Amino acid sequence: MSFRGAFDTFRGYRHPEFHIIQRRRRWFILSGSAILISILALVFLGLNYSIDFTGGTLVEYRLSNDVTVEQVRGLLAQDPYARATAEVQVVGGDQVSIRTSALTDLTPAERTQLFEALAQQAGISPDDISAQVVGPTWGEQISRQALIGLVVVLFAITLYITLRFEWKMAVGAMVAMLHDVLLTAGVYALTGREVSPPTVIAILTILGFSLYDTVVIFDKVKENTESTALLGKDTYEGVANYSMNQVLMRSVNTSLVVILPILSLLLFGGATLKDFAFAMLIGVVTGAYSSIFIATPILVILKEREPRYQQLRARLETRGKSERRLRAVPTNGQDAAEEEQEVAPAAVAAAGGSRQGSRSGQSSSRPRPKSKRRPPAKRRRR
């Protein structure tokens, strides 16, 4: 494909002709390998939960000097404190809030030294620093409620897709959503990035985006597969692939529009926004991929098992074999016709010459018939 053709495809002036459904084994192998790596990372590496999940120490104090979040985080990352992952926020311009893991791994002298360093940096007395042990704000009860809500939402989504389309499309959508969640969790386990409440919120948002893209594709597949004209020319697999090519650039462009603001948050946002943006970025990419390469191929596999579409495939294959056999006959016949066309002029010329020769021969050997005209009457003399 030329650059102009690719640019026209990107702008929607023409539809691509990718064999997405026909090459579904490649996508399944790729996704299966990524899911396997994600599961192994979750089992052996685990997730790095934030203080909101595990609990820890909350340190609060007021600033007298101009101190930035990066300076406070740099102090906490020094030895022997090793608190580089602490959550640091400056509220109202002068109120510092530090949420970090429990300080039980530090000796009393090291804790005193830490508070004195923070006080010196802020320009206050160590007695003005408040430190208290807090429990997880995202406890078991909240996790249980969130899980129940997620199950209810997934059930409602499944019911909606089943009523709007059919249960086989609901199966494809659910598999794609599970694929997105596993890959996102695997990326967090591999990178060691901290899992915070914004991360959970981002993952729930990802499910909605992935479902939206999948429903758009399923709607086009349903519209085309109900067309008698299209199914009379191709199988369900071919019509579904044609539908995918029709909406492919729409899905890609929608994902690109969503990714651009996420990248801006990831590059220029604060710590909390970066956690949210990172989860959104991974989720949007995996969601766009699964809607195209996972959900629809699974739907095709389920639909191709129906007797109606099996008969359609068998009929089209039989028709294709008969057409191939019929095409072979005209090819040889065409060669013979070309030979006849080449021989025909010579034969006609020869035939014409023989006729003329025979006519001339007959005219020379056979006497001419006597004229039937009467001789003129003799005039009488007077």
Side-chain angles (χ1 to χ4, degrees):
M1 182 182 294
S2 63
F3 175 78
R4 183 176 182 81
F7 188 69
D8 290 342
T9 302
F10 174 75
R11 299 189 64 185
Y13 293 151
R14 54 181 294 183
H15 293 155
E17 297 180 357
F18 299 129
H19 299 286
I20 299 174
I21 307 297
Q22 290 80 358
R23 298 173 180 173
R24 56 183 175 267
R25 291 185 178 179
R26 299 182 183 180
W27 321 131
F28 289 165
I29 292 174
L30 179 62
S31 297
S33 302
I35 290 175
L36 180 60
I37 294 174
S38 299
I39 293 176
L40 293 177
L42 290 172
V43 172
F44 294 102
L45 299 178
L47 295 173
N48 180 22
Y49 293 101
S50 67
I51 187 177
D52 298 281
F53 293 94
T54 60
T57 302
L58 176 62
V59 180
E60 295 178 334
Y61 57 91
R62 189 174 298 274
L63 293 174
S64 295
N65 299 332
D66 293 334
V67 180
T68 62
V69 174
E70 288 74 16
Q71 291 175 345
V72 177
R73 190 175 288 116
L75 176 61
L76 294 173
Q78 296 176 4
D79 292 331
Y81 316 127
R83 293 296 190 275
T85 59
E87 300 178 10
V88 181
Q89 294 180 345
V90 178
V91 182
D94 60 349
Q95 185 68 31
V96 178
S97 176
I98 302 174
R99 298 178 67 90
T100 182
S101 58
L103 302 178
T104 54
D105 58 331
L106 301 178
T107 62
E110 290 174 345
R111 287 197 294 268
T112 302
Q113 183 181 357
L114 173 61
F115 293 151
E116 290 177 351
L118 291 173
Q120 182 180 1
Q121 186 184 56
I124 59 176
S125 173
D127 297 333
D128 296 332
I129 297 178
S130 172
Q132 56 181 338
V133 178
V134 296
T137 57
W138 193 286
E140 294 182 359
Q141 184 178 1
I142 298 178
S143 300
R144 189 180 303 108
Q145 293 176 351
L147 183 60
I148 293 174
L150 180 61
V151 171
V152 172
V153 169
L154 293 179
F155 176 77
I157 291 173
T158 304
L159 181 62
Y160 166 75
I161 297 179
T162 302
L163 295 177
R164 173 63 179 84
F165 301 105
E166 57 177 308
W167 68 268
K168 295 178 181 178
M169 291 188 176
V171 171
M174 292 300 105
V175 172
M177 293 173 65
L178 181 62
H179 168 274
D180 300 340
V181 173
L182 285 176
L183 288 188
T184 304
V187 170
Y188 267 83
L190 289 173
T191 58
R193 200 174 183 91
E194 192 175 59
V195 179
S196 59
T199 304
V200 179
I201 297 172
I203 291 177
L204 296 178
T205 308
I206 290 164
L207 298 181
F209 178 82
S210 175
L211 180 66
Y212 162 77
D213 206 16
T214 304
V215 168
V216 170
I217 295 175
F218 281 172
D219 185 69
K220 177 57 72 172
V221 172
K222 182 176 183 294
E223 177 184 352
N224 288 339
T225 52
E226 290 178 351
S227 172
T228 307
L230 291 177
L231 284 180
K233 299 177 182 179
D234 206 343
T235 61
Y236 188 94
E237 176 184 276
V239 176
N241 188 77
Y242 173 72
S243 306
M244 288 290 306
N245 283 283
Q246 284 184 311
V247 298
L248 178 63
M249 295 313 303
R250 181 192 304 177
S251 300
V252 172
N253 290 329
T254 303
S255 302
L256 288 177
V257 170
V258 175
I259 287 175
L260 291 178
I262 292 176
L263 286 176
S264 65
L265 291 177
L266 187 61
L267 296 176
F268 307 108
T272 304
L273 291 178
K274 286 184 177 180
D275 291 338
F276 180 81
F278 183 78
M280 283 291 296
L281 179 63
I282 302 301
V284 168
V285 173
T286 56
Y289 170 83
S290 64
S291 299
I292 298 173
F293 299 100
I294 300 298
T296 309
I298 289 178
L299 170 65
V300 170
I301 291 175
L302 296 176
K303 295 292 290 184
E304 285 283 343
R305 296 181 179 180
E306 296 182 5
R308 171 191 174 187
Y309 297 113
Q310 288 181 351
Q311 294 174 2
L312 174 63
R313 177 178 288 275
R315 184 167 63 251
L316 291 175
E317 290 178 353
T318 304
R319 183 189 304 173
K321 292 179 181 179
S322 62
E323 288 179 355
R324 284 194 295 270
R325 287 196 298 268
L326 291 174
R327 288 194 192 100
V329 173
T331 301
N332 297 332
Q334 184 177 2
D335 296 338
E338 292 177 355
E339 293 178 358
E340 290 178 358
Q341 291 177 0
E342 294 176 356
V343 175
V348 171
S354 61
R355 289 176 183 176
Q356 293 177 359
S358 61
R359 287 178 182 176
S360 60
Q362 290 176 0
S363 61
S364 59
S365 60
R366 188 174 60 187
R368 293 182 179 181
K370 294 182 179 180
S371 177
K372 294 181 180 182
R373 294 177 61 184
R374 292 181 180 181
K378 296 181 178 180
R379 293 182 180 181
R380 294 180 180 180
R381 294 179 179 181
R382 293 180 180 180

